[in-house]
Amino acid sequence: MAQLLQHLINGLAAGTIYALVALGYTMVYGVLKLINFAHGDVMMVGVYMGYATAFALGRDMRSSLLGVAVVFAVAMLGCALLGFFIERFAYRPLREKPRLTALITAIGISFALSYGFQLDIGFLPGAAPRAFPEVIEPVEWLVIGDRDVVVWNWQVISFGIAVALMVGLQYLVFRTRFGQAMRAVSWDHRVAALMGIPTDRVIALTFMLSSALAAGAGLLYAIKDTSVSPLMGLYVGLKAFVAAVIGGIGHVQGAVVGGLVLGLVEEFVVGYAASTWRDAVAFGFLILVLLVKPGGLFGRVAAEKV
Amino acid sequence: MRRLAPMLLAALAVMVAACEKKTQPAPSGEGGTQAAQGQGAAPGGAPADANTILLGQVGSLTGGQATFGISTRNGIELALKEANAAGGVKGKKLSIRVYDNQSKPEEAAQAATRLITQDKVALILGDVASSNSLAMAEKAQAAGVPMITPSSTNPTVTEKGDYIFRVCFIDPFQGFVMAKFARENLKLNTVAVLQDNKSAYSIGLADVFRRKFTEMGGKVTAVESYSQGDTDYRAQLTAIRKSQPEGIYVPGYYSEVGIIARQAREVGLKVPLMGGDGWDSEKLFELGGSAIEGSYFSNHYSPDNPDPRVQKFIADYKAAYGAVPDALAALGYDSARVAVGALERAKDLSGPSVRDAIAQTKDFPGVAGTVTLDAQRNAVKSAVVLKVEDGKTQYVTTINP
């Protein structure tokens, strides 16, 4: 029972992070019908930005509240900028081209980032994984029994940050003018443009927002697993993409639920079966969901010409 | 403004192409001679000219085990530089072409094929990770090109055929060394094992360790597994904690072990960790931080060894690369020197005669121990046990076969 509770806590911690990354996929897909395969790698770049900032701040500064805020702010703003450039120069020129073209470009950007960051020249970090500095000094907040269940401060903080980011996003999408514009563009960007909505700006902002979210999620992931490597984006990105599809891609709540479900499924598989089964079960679960409910748990099925 | 986008993409493409060149087909020049450098730039891998002997290396220059490949490359480079300074082999200079396998077996197999069919190398060196060497050995054996792995310890590598050699000991020995050390030196009664199910190396060490440790009267309390590239091991470690072992055997690679150590301390495991030569990298201390302190691993060599030959190698290596060589650099160096010695003794540079010359290697004075190849083409030598202390390794003891 205690073990179950511990796995539940661990699974939720992992799941919220998947959910945050999945939100980025879902937002961009919702607005552009583009699966932004570079999303995970933008996240990785964000983690390296946070890594560099944390080092620049020094040991004492980075574990203070202000330090944590600075690390997150730099990484998220930096990634927003990266997202802007990627959208402006890689996706916008292809927007009226067949959708496959943009998808291929996204895969190209993904590889350019993940392999580019393995170079060991100048500011690039090299291929080997690195230890992520302890931005949040680990403290046990809750210990039940003989350490049968342990809740760490970073788990709670990371859960809190993730929920805050999700609530903020929900508010933005459904309660603000910008969100309204986003949903309008998502409905039909040509008609939205006719109605006077600056579609280019809305799409650029969506990209920036999703990239900033990715950076935030990436930092939480790096804090959780205490390491950062150039290939982490491919791995986490793929998992988050699966989470987005399970929930119904393009659906905000779906992404959150998909992320949590995937995080829990993985944790239980590793905890009660074997880690070698994890990916097989995660992707098997994806296939199962798509067979039973092709649009994902929350999505609607829309006939689409591919 | 519209033209900016394609330009940027073009720039990106050039950048990517440039890095490809840096990590992939460019051979690391021997001794920096002009001829070798020029030849290296030739596209498509032109065959060696009459005055050079071309060797090939396949290594993990990028990916999860990147420091392995880079250290090995540096060691090989140093050995070839020395050999060329001493006049080369049979009046010819030595040159090496290095390919990256991105720490992946399928890339390793491709690179080996390329070295054999396009570059027509006399001999292949590589790789560190046994999974990669196994993929390469198949190709080398089929083509009749001798291959020496500097540090692949999985027994099956040299079982691929009579063209495959190694200058290091094999996994059963490392598992045996740690089981003996845990039982006799650390006096442990119960141990848990955490193995990497994606790595032949890790499974090999873990199996022998378990068998020997039980034979010596110890008890294995739990066997858990992870997969290379994982970053969250809390579920496995929680299960291990429940079995209350006095030590944990983690025969993985440094990239995972460092993180495992941190998370082990975090879930409340305070017992020492033990491992094999896959731990040997500066990165281990960075990734593991204070959590890895007080852990033990078996290795091929210790930089504390006062032998003048070893100390000279360390000084030369430091001068060239600005770092203390790890065991993989030492084994890379040894493998290249064994190769050079064999090329000198060989009647000609054909596959069979080079193979026979390598097979005769006996009492070869390497920096990581004396190399004598047995009938199974494996080196027979002793292992050292190192302890992690204050962010570096401390020599503890030597264990003989």
Side-chain angles (χ1 to χ4, degrees), chain B residues 21-247:
Chain B
K21 223 186 225 159
K22 188 184 172 229
T23 50
Q24 289 204 328
S28 61
E30 42 76 46
T33 59
Q34 285 301 319
Q37 300 277 327
Q39 180 207 335
D49 61 64
N51 295 321
T52 53
I53 300 175
L54 187 63
L55 309 181
Q57 187 207 337
V58 182
S60 313
L61 303 179
T62 58
Q65 294 127 31
T67 70
F68 289 170
I70 293 165
S71 288
T72 309
R73 183 195 61 196
N74 292 348
I76 293 174
E77 217 171 56
L78 195 64
L80 295 185
K81 223 183 273 183
E82 282 172 13
N84 281 332
V89 169
K90 296 187 193 324
K92 295 179 181 186
K93 292 278 175 201
L94 293 161
S95 154
I96 186 152
R97 182 151 297 159
V98 184
Y99 290 128
D100 178 20
N101 62 31
Q102 300 167 18
S103 309
K104 293 180 202 153
E106 56 279 16
E107 295 284 338
Q110 260 183 31
T113 306
R114 205 158 142 196
L115 284 171
I116 294 162
T117 56
Q118 285 183 23
D119 304 327
K120 306 208 185 311
V121 295
L123 173 131
I124 298 175
L125 300 170
D127 184 26
V128 175
S130 296
S131 314
N132 297 341
S133 294
L134 277 168
M136 292 163 60
E138 202 138 307
K139 306 288 175 195
Q141 179 66 30
V145 174
M147 167 177 148
I148 306 178
T149 164
S151 36
S152 280
T153 45
N154 190 286
T156 51
V157 174
T158 46
E159 283 166 15
K160 283 281 173 198
D162 57 351
Y163 279 86
I164 318 299
F165 302 87
R166 80 177 103 219
V167 296
C168 56
F169 47 63
I170 55 175
D171 286 342
F173 180 60
Q174 276 205 84
F176 160 78
V177 164
M178 232 344 128
K180 194 171 170 200
F181 179 76
R183 202 70 193 104
E184 290 173 4
N185 299 50
L186 297 179
K187 310 237 180 290
L188 302 183
N189 295 315
T190 53
V191 164
V193 174
L194 180 56
Q195 65 187 28
D196 176 353
N197 263 357
K198 264 195 197 163
S199 142
Y201 161 80
S202 185
I203 297 171
L205 259 71
D207 284 352
V208 179
F209 177 88
R210 274 157 61 189
R211 207 172 52 237
K212 290 287 169 197
F213 192 75
T214 336
E215 269 173 29
M216 291 174 182
K219 188 168 171 280
V220 176
T221 58
V223 180
E224 292 287 324
S225 63
Y226 63 93
S227 307
Q228 213 172 86
D230 283 0
T231 47
D232 191 339
Y233 309 91
R234 291 185 180 86
Q236 296 95 314
L237 290 166
T238 306
I240 285 180
R241 200 185 70 85
K242 276 192 68 146
S243 76
Q244 299 183 314
E246 293 167 16

Side-chain angles (χ1 to χ4, degrees), chain A:
Chain A
M1 188 59 208
Q3 207 184 344
L4 180 81
L5 197 60
Q6 182 71 66
H7 285 316
L8 206 66
I9 292 165
N10 293 352
L12 278 179
T16 40
I17 295 170
Y18 285 149
L20 274 182
V21 185
L23 278 173
Y25 277 107
T26 272
M27 278 164 65
V28 167
Y29 184 83
V31 169
L32 268 187
K33 296 283 175 290
L34 164 73
I35 293 165
N36 180 16
F37 269 118
H39 190 63
D41 301 284
V42 170
M43 179 202 87
M44 178 273 296
V45 175
V47 177
Y48 272 105
M49 287 175 181
Y51 174 87
T53 314
F55 262 103
L57 287 177
R59 179 169 287 279
D60 295 335
M61 181 64 187
R62 67 172 171 247
S63 47
S64 71
L65 195 62
L66 182 68
V68 177
V70 170
V71 169
F72 271 85
V74 170
M76 290 175 80
L77 287 175
C79 262
L81 210 63
L82 179 69
F84 172 80
F85 277 110
I86 291 177
E87 194 277 330
R88 179 67 191 81
F89 296 111
Y91 298 147
R92 192 180 295 182
L94 302 171
R95 200 177 292 157
E96 302 304 325
K97 298 275 183 329
R99 211 168 283 156
L100 195 60
T101 321
L103 184 73
I104 294 166
T105 310
I107 294 172
I109 295 198
S110 161
F111 282 123
L113 287 177
S114 56
Y115 287 94
F117 263 67
Q118 289 195 42
L119 300 178
D120 205 351
I121 37 171
F123 62 92
L124 293 170
R130 283 160 185 253
F132 195 78
E134 283 177 348
V135 174
I136 300 173
E137 204 81 48
V139 179
E140 295 166 32
W141 268 8
L142 179 69
V143 181
I144 301 176
D146 176 28
R147 296 183 56 88
D148 289 326
V149 179
V150 181
V151 180
W152 289 82
N153 61 342
W154 56 262
Q155 286 177 323
V156 178
I157 295 173
S158 130
F159 191 79
I161 295 178
V163 170
L165 286 172
M166 285 178 208
V167 170
L169 184 71
Q170 181 78 7
Y171 178 82
L172 190 83
V173 172
F174 291 102
R175 294 275 183 277
T176 62
R177 277 176 67 87
F178 169 67
Q180 203 171 17
M182 242 172 100
R183 283 178 290 141
V185 173
S186 149
W187 197 256
D188 188 326
H189 76 267
R190 286 190 196 84
V191 177
L194 290 177
M195 298 296 140
I197 293 171
T199 44
D200 276 350
R201 203 184 304 160
V202 169
I203 291 171
L205 275 169
T206 307
F207 260 91
M208 292 171 72
L209 201 60
S210 94
S211 303
L213 269 181
L219 286 176
L220 296 178
Y221 190 83
I223 289 169
K224 174 171 93 74
D225 287 359
T226 65
S227 75
V228 40
S229 76
L231 290 177
M232 70 186 289
L234 288 176
Y235 182 77
V236 183
L238 192 62
K239 286 298 172 58
F241 172 65
V242 169
V245 175
I246 286 176
I249 193 156
H251 198 285
V252 173
Q253 285 92 335
V256 175
V257 172
L260 290 178
V261 166
L262 191 69
L264 287 169
V265 166
E266 286 197 359
E267 176 71 20
F268 283 122
V269 170
V270 178
Y272 292 110
S275 77
T276 3
W277 289 31
R278 176 169 58 191
D279 293 357
V281 171
F283 291 107
F285 188 68
L286 170 72
I287 293 170
L288 191 73
V289 169
L290 291 181
L291 280 176
V292 179
K293 234 178 157 301
L297 294 175
F298 284 73
R300 282 181 309 268
V301 183
E304 196 177 322
K305 202 172 77 182
V306 180

